[in-house]
Each structure stands twice: as C-alpha cells, then as structure tokens.
Amino acid sequence: MDAIVVENIVKRFGSVEALRGVSFRVRRGEIFGLLGPNGAGKTTLIRTLLGLLRPAEGRVRIFDMDLERHPEAVHRFVGWVPQERAMDPFLTGRENLLFVAGLHHIPAREARDRVDGLLELVELTGAADRITRGYSGGMRRRLQLAMGLVHRPKVLLLDEPSLGLDVQTRRRMWWLIEKLRAGGTTVLITTHYLDEADALCDRVAIIEQGEIRGLDTPDALKQRYGGPPLLVLEWGEPGAHGRRQLIDSLKALPGVREVAERAGGVWVRGDDVVAVTRAVLAECERWGVTPARLSVRQPTLDDVFLAMTGASLKESTEEMSA
Amino acid sequence: MMHTFLLENRAMWMRWYARMRRDLFSLVATLLQPVLWLVLFGSSLQNMVRGTVPGGDYLSFMTAAAFVMTVFNGGLNGGLELMFDRESGFFDRLLATPMHRVSFVTGRFSFVLAVTVAQGLLIIATAYILGVRYATGLAGIALTLVVGGLLGAAVTTVSIILAFVLRHHGQFFSIIAIVSLPVLFLSSALAPLDAMPGWLAAVARLNPLTHAIEAIRTLVIVGWDAGVLLQMGGLLAGVDALLLWLAARVLRRRLA
Ligand SMILES: Nc1ncnc2c1ncn2[C@@H]1O[C@H](COP(=O)(O)OP(=O)(O)OP(=O)(O)O)[C@@H](O)[C@H]1O
Ligand SMILES: [Mg+2]
C-alpha cells in the first residue's frame, strides 16, 4: 500500500489552471520531491492533499483512505509544514507547540512531554520560551517542522522547508528530514532547489505549469534526460589567438553533439566523454591554444529540467523571483 | 466529542491569554477611555447638568454608559484577531488539525466575552471610588455583569461575523471607525431618552446599547424595577438570538 496516491487532479482558480491532471504515488518510507519553479502548482497540490482545496477532478488517497469520504484521514496521518508563516508570533515556541497539541486533543501532561522532546529534536530548547517574533528564519522553520510533528504523523508534507535558509541551516534541515525518514516517516517535500532534490529525495517528480513532466530517482532522471557529461574548457590568459579556429574545428569533430561558447571558455558535449576529451586536446594543440582548465561536469537535475521544459529551472526561478 | 471540544477551547484560551498577558498596554488602553469619561466628563459636567438627569447626579448617570461603552469597544474589536489569523494563513494551518472548526469561533467568543465583562467590572469599581453607589447593591452589580454579557455577546458576534465576511482588516478598521461613534450617540449613553428629540429617541430605542444602558441605569439609580429590567433584558436576549442565528448561517458556509 502506498502512503499517498494522487490520481488525475485538476484544480482551477478562475481561468488559471493550476493543476492539469496530476498523478503520482508516494511510497511508504520514502522522501519524495516535487521539484518545480515558482507558480508550478506545488503549494496548490499540497493544499489539495490536505483537503484545504477541493479539486475539480481527480482523487487523493492517503493510506488507502479516500480523502473525499474520509477527510479525517488527513488529521490522523498527515503533518504539514506550510510555506508561509504559520505560527503565532506573539506566543513562545513552546506555547505554539502546546497550542497545536491541544488542537490535536493531546492531553496536557503528555503534550508537555512531547513538546519537550520536539524542542530538543529541532534544537530549540534554549529558545523555547522566547516569543517567536524574535526568531530567525531558520529557527522559525525548525519550529514549524516541530509543529507539524506534534501528533506523530506517518506522512509529512513539507512546503519549501529550506526556503531562505543559509547553507548550513539547510544541511541541518536535511539531516532532520533524513532522521525522520529513518524513523519510518514518509516525507513529501516541495522545492525549487535542485541540489536539495538531488541530495535528499529518493524520487523526484518534476512539475511545471501544473503538469508532471517526469518522475524517477534523481540518478535515473539525469541518465535519461540529462544528456552525456559536459566537457568544460576554460581559456587561460587573455588573447584570442587560434580560438576561433579551434571552436570551428571542434564543431566538425565526429562524436561531438554540441559546442557552446561561454564567457571565458567553451562547453563541449559528446557521447563518449573519453574520446571527446582526447580529440579536444588534440585540436587545442593543433591551434596553439593552451586551456587553463579542463573539467567534466556530470548532468545535473537542471539539465534534466532544461531538457524537459526547455527552460532552465535556475533561470526561470530567478526571473520569477526578481 | 464534548471532551475534545473542551480541549480545543482550552488551547484557544491558553493562546489568547498568553497574548493578552504580553499586551497589557492594549488592555489598559481600552479601559482608559471610559475611565477618563467618568473622571473628566462626569465630574466636569456634574454641576452643569445637576437636576436635569434622572437621579440628579451625572456621575451615577454616566456609570451605565461607561460600562456599556467598555463592553461595546471590547466586543467590537474581538473578532479582529480571527481576521488576522485568516489573513496570515494561520487559520488554514489550524484547519489541518482535527479541531472542530467551530472551536476557532467559540474559543475567541468566550474569551472576549469574559475579558470585556471583567473590564466592565473595573469600570464599576472606578465609579465606586468616585462615589457612585448602586441603588440595588451587590446584587445589582452582579446583574449588571449579566446585562454586559448579553450585550457583549451581541457585539462580539457581529465582530466575528465581520471577521469572516470582510476581505481584509482595513475594511474592518473602517467599519469600526464609521460605526462606533454614531452607535454611541444614537443611544441613551449621553442623555436620557426623555431629553432627546423625538426622532432620535425613536432610533435610540432600537439600539441594543440603549437596552443595556437603560437596564443598568435603573439598577444604579432607581432600584429593582422589574418592568424595565425584564423588558430590556428580553430585548437584548432577542438581539442575541437573532445575531447568533445569523452567525450560524454565515459561518456554516465559511467554516465548511
Ligand atoms: N488562491 C489562489 N487564487 C488564484 N490563483 C491561485 C491561488 N493559489 C494559487 N494560484 C495560482 O496557481 C498557480 C500555482 O500556484 P502555487 O502557489 O501552487 O505555485 P508553487 O509551485 O507553490 O509556487 P512557489 O514556488 O512560488 O511557491 C499560480 O499560477 C498561482 O498564481
Ligand atoms: Mg508554493
């Protein structure tokens, strides 16, 4: 039995079609990533899974319970860490947790023990009795995580858990998420950070404009859609002598699929990375160009994204948030 | 069912209480206006109006108004926090818990009612310090709190309905700004009904604030006048019933 089954969900906001027939299954005990740019429909999907939005079509099952007929399944099984601020800024961290515990009908005594444990888990014991308005972004995120765990959910929905966190705090968050998974929790996380999806997720669904464009393990996605590895050649000292001819001859090499000029260098993509490297070096010699650096870049999820949607996730995300 | 409902409302009370404790300023500020009323307004007009108000003592006359105004202001602002919760998305967060949705409303309603009535009691204490004596004694004060509860229930209900039907808190503030002064002047808070122009008195008689004021004023100045008390209490209860029915209708859709 899968933890979450999503079948053909369609959701419209007026004329905006936020989800256009989304289907996937989240297996028990896995970390499942929904990767997509701003406005792709990630939050809409999460809110649909929570029963906060009613889809026009399709259905959701959580641990084999149909959401339409058993909305209480959400409350029993699902924990949620929303994208936006979702705590009372005038309560302390501890009070926020106790409040949510009360709404989950956890008796006061047990709630106190659980809250202590959660504060420890997310390393907020020291700040537990401070008003959350004064919390840093990372502390807030960790408190929200704890608030989503109060009722010990079997599935955790994390909407952009590391949005706006610095590298170190993000790693800490990943560590926490992995720890939860190790304890048997199923995790569905949305993100537009490629490295997050890559590092954390067992399987990733790429979502764009309300549609799933691909779904697999990060490695399989990269192998299937990411294309062959990329040879990155960086020019050394200034002086363009021979470079033009080199580029033209690289384009004519057998086995080379793509040659792209970039600031400070050139990218070469070919099927057999070893053969291409040899040939490229020979051509350099021939035209008297000495590259400063030569490196091989394995395909990333961004390449996958580019191949699937024709847009770089990095660029589209930056554009949208600019 | 009952047990979980109580747990939820307890959590709500804990939340509102913790916030109130940290914001004593607002609590005091709400009281400041009616107290100033009593102290400044009441005393300064004391001589001017001597003999023209029932009982002859303006301070005693004003006590009911100051009490009612406290309850009115407290209740009218009571729904605002729910509006903020809706705006911030915190309400949605709460909907992802097994909470009965109505607890969101009942928790706030009961808390606001308790606080406003307690504030009203402080106003009565202030009046006592200033020399006002209830014609009906302690029992009259207790009954005043009941009347305050009836009025507070009506006003808080209106406020909570607004919190669910308005789009954003700006509209909420506008309505409060537009409504509160006329509602006060179109009541018997400042002048007795008999001293008002006919049309004004007619409008004021429909105002629930007037019902509360008349009942309390009777308790302070006149004594146990069962006729007035029953009539005014009945009217207030009627308004409450009407508004609760309306709230149930409006909120059923919004909380579904
Ligand atoms: N309540 C709403 N009313 C109208 N349109 C909405 C609403 N919620 C979402 N949308 C639209 O649906 C689309 C998907 O939005 P959604 O918030 O799900 O994207 P997202 O993938 O979570 O983006 P982000 O990375 O910015 O959080 C967007 O075009 C958005 O404008
Ligand atoms: Mg989102």
Side-chain angles (χ1 to χ4, degrees):
Chain A
M1 190 207 340
D2 290 312
I4 300 177
V5 179
V6 176
E7 278 171 15
N8 195 35
I9 294 287
V10 175
K11 175 72 199 174
R12 298 182 196 92
F13 295 106
S15 62
V16 178
E17 207 164 29
L19 298 174
R20 321 176 181 203
V22 170
S23 305
F24 61 86
R25 287 160 180 263
V26 178
R27 298 176 190 146
R28 271 180 184 217
E30 77 174 337
I31 300 182
F32 185 95
L34 269 173
L35 176 68
N38 292 135
K42 304 182 295 293
T43 299
T44 304
L45 185 59
I46 292 227
R47 295 172 69 85
T48 308
L49 294 183
L50 287 159
L52 294 175
L53 290 176
R54 252 222 162 88
E57 287 169 40
R59 51 188 212 138
V60 174
R61 268 181 298 148
I62 293 172
F63 287 103
D64 244 8
M65 288 172 88
D66 188 282
L67 194 57
E68 184 105 19
R69 265 180 293 155
H70 300 281
E72 76 279 4
V74 172
H75 311 137
R76 262 185 43 209
F77 297 129
V78 182
W80 177 30
V81 179
Q83 181 176 356
E84 69 278 13
R85 194 206 83 175
M87 58 183 67
D88 188 324
F90 300 107
L91 294 187
T92 64
R94 188 191 306 279
E95 286 166 347
N96 266 295
L97 285 165
L98 287 171
F99 177 56
V100 173
L103 301 188
H104 277 288
H105 312 143
I106 301 165
R109 206 191 166 75
E110 194 189 339
R112 269 196 297 276
D113 291 344
R114 274 200 205 187
V115 165
D116 284 342
L118 284 168
L119 284 166
E120 202 148 311
L121 175 74
V122 298
E123 300 175 315
L124 281 175
T125 306
D129 297 309
R130 276 168 48 196
I131 301 278
T132 62
R133 194 156 71 138
Y135 276 18
S136 73
M139 292 163 80
R140 278 182 207 182
R141 230 56 197 110
R142 293 199 316 262
L143 179 65
Q144 280 174 320
L145 178 63
M147 285 168 77
L149 292 172
V150 164
H151 58 299
R152 304 198 170 133
K154 293 167 107 175
V155 193
L156 191 62
L157 309 182
L158 289 152
D159 203 351
E160 315 244 1
S162 57
L163 191 68
L165 301 186
D166 66 30
V167 178
Q168 214 185 338
T169 319
R170 275 172 70 194
R171 305 237 160 204
R172 197 77 203 142
M173 184 60 88
W174 296 355
W175 178 83
L176 272 172
I177 293 169
E178 269 171 352
K179 192 167 161 178
L180 288 170
R181 192 259 303 266
T185 309
T186 305
V187 182
L188 185 149
I189 131 174
T190 79
T191 182
H192 56 241
Y193 292 120
L194 297 149
D195 56 338
E196 184 160 88
D198 210 350
L200 196 58
C201 299
D202 299 311
R203 291 191 308 146
V204 175
I206 292 184
I207 180 169
E208 206 224 359
Q209 292 184 5
E211 277 174 303
I212 303 270
R213 299 290 160 96
L215 193 167
D216 213 324
T217 64
D219 283 343
L221 283 173
K222 282 182 282 192
Q223 247 173 39
R224 188 143 25 113
Y225 302 100
L230 193 69
L231 200 64
V232 178
L233 191 149
E234 290 167 60
W235 308 130
E237 65 278 2
H241 178 75
R243 285 180 191 170
R244 189 75 262 145
Q245 292 93 321
L246 173 63
I247 288 171
D248 287 338
S249 66
L250 287 180
K251 282 181 182 159
L253 281 179
V256 167
R257 282 215 252 153
E258 189 192 345
V259 178
E261 283 179 72
R262 294 290 145 120
V266 60
W267 291 4
V268 184
R269 206 191 287 275
D271 294 320
D272 180 349
V273 71
V274 177
V276 169
T277 310
R278 277 212 189 98
V280 166
L281 285 173
E283 290 302 314
C284 285
E285 198 127 333
R286 178 171 155 208
W287 299 106
V289 176
T290 315
R293 248 158 64 91
L294 192 67
S295 54
V296 176
R297 227 192 71 202
Q298 296 300 327
T300 64
L301 280 179
D302 193 41
D303 300 316
V304 176
F305 198 81
L306 186 71
M308 267 179 201
T309 67
S312 163
L313 181 59
K314 275 184 191 147
E315 279 161 25
S316 63
T317 303
E318 274 154 22
E319 257 168 46
M320 305 272 298
S321 58
Chain B
M1 154 78 199
M2 200 55 205
H3 176 64
T4 55
F5 179 73
L6 290 178
L7 276 173
E8 292 158 6
N9 279 271
R10 213 194 83 177
M12 293 286 173
W13 269 64
M14 184 215 83
R15 175 184 180 209
W16 299 125
Y17 177 73
R19 289 176 58 129
M20 189 180 77
R21 214 160 33 91
R22 298 194 176 105
D23 190 22
L24 288 177
F25 176 81
S26 302
L27 210 59
V28 173
T30 337
L31 285 175
L32 211 59
Q33 209 181 351
V35 166
L36 280 178
W37 250 36
L38 276 179
V39 174
L40 301 176
F41 213 38
S43 332
S44 67
L45 293 178
Q46 182 81 294
N47 294 326
M48 205 176 92
V49 299
R50 189 174 298 280
T52 63
V53 295
D57 169 26
Y58 198 62
L59 207 54
S60 299
F61 178 78
M62 285 297 290
T63 300
F67 175 88
V68 162
M69 189 173 133
T70 309
V71 171
F72 179 68
N73 284 341
L76 198 56
N77 286 305
L80 194 56
E81 299 295 348
L82 301 190
M83 172 126 238
F84 285 137
D85 275 355
R86 286 182 56 225
E87 285 177 335
S88 71
F90 195 51
F91 179 52
D92 281 346
R93 175 67 186 81
L94 304 188
L95 290 187
T97 71
M99 167 187 86
H100 300 94
R101 290 166 181 221
V102 74
S103 293
F104 183 63
V105 170
T106 54
R108 183 67 193 163
F109 176 84
S110 55
F111 184 79
V112 169
L113 204 58
V115 170
T116 46
V117 170
Q119 285 179 312
L121 189 60
L122 285 178
I123 294 299
I124 294 175
T126 309
Y128 184 87
I129 293 168
L130 293 174
V132 174
R133 295 292 175 270
Y134 261 71
T136 48
L138 276 180
I141 292 178
L143 200 56
T144 299
L145 298 185
V146 173
V147 173
L150 287 172
L151 177 71
V155 183
T156 309
T157 303
V158 169
S159 180
I160 287 176
I161 291 175
L162 288 179
F164 277 90
V165 299
L166 296 180
R167 281 185 180 280
H168 56 85
H169 69 268
Q171 294 180 335
F172 202 105
F173 285 128
S174 305
I175 289 192
I176 289 180
I178 295 169
V179 156
S180 41
L181 220 54
V183 169
L184 202 67
F185 280 110
L186 292 176
S187 77
S188 59
L190 302 171
L193 285 169
D194 307 337
M196 291 182 185
W199 68 271
L200 195 60
V203 176
R205 269 180 224 286
L206 299 174
N207 186 342
L209 255 64
T210 304
H211 308 151
I213 290 169
E214 291 305 309
I216 297 169
R217 205 162 264 164
T218 304
L219 290 170
V220 178
I221 299 173
V222 181
W224 294 108
D225 184 335
V228 174
L229 293 176
L230 283 176
Q231 191 193 353
M232 295 302 155
L235 282 168
L236 276 176
V239 170
D240 278 342
L242 195 72
L243 285 170
L244 287 175
W245 172 80
L246 183 69
R249 268 191 70 115
V250 172
L251 297 188
R252 185 166 320 148
R253 221 165 346 113
R254 318 255 157 189
L255 291 176

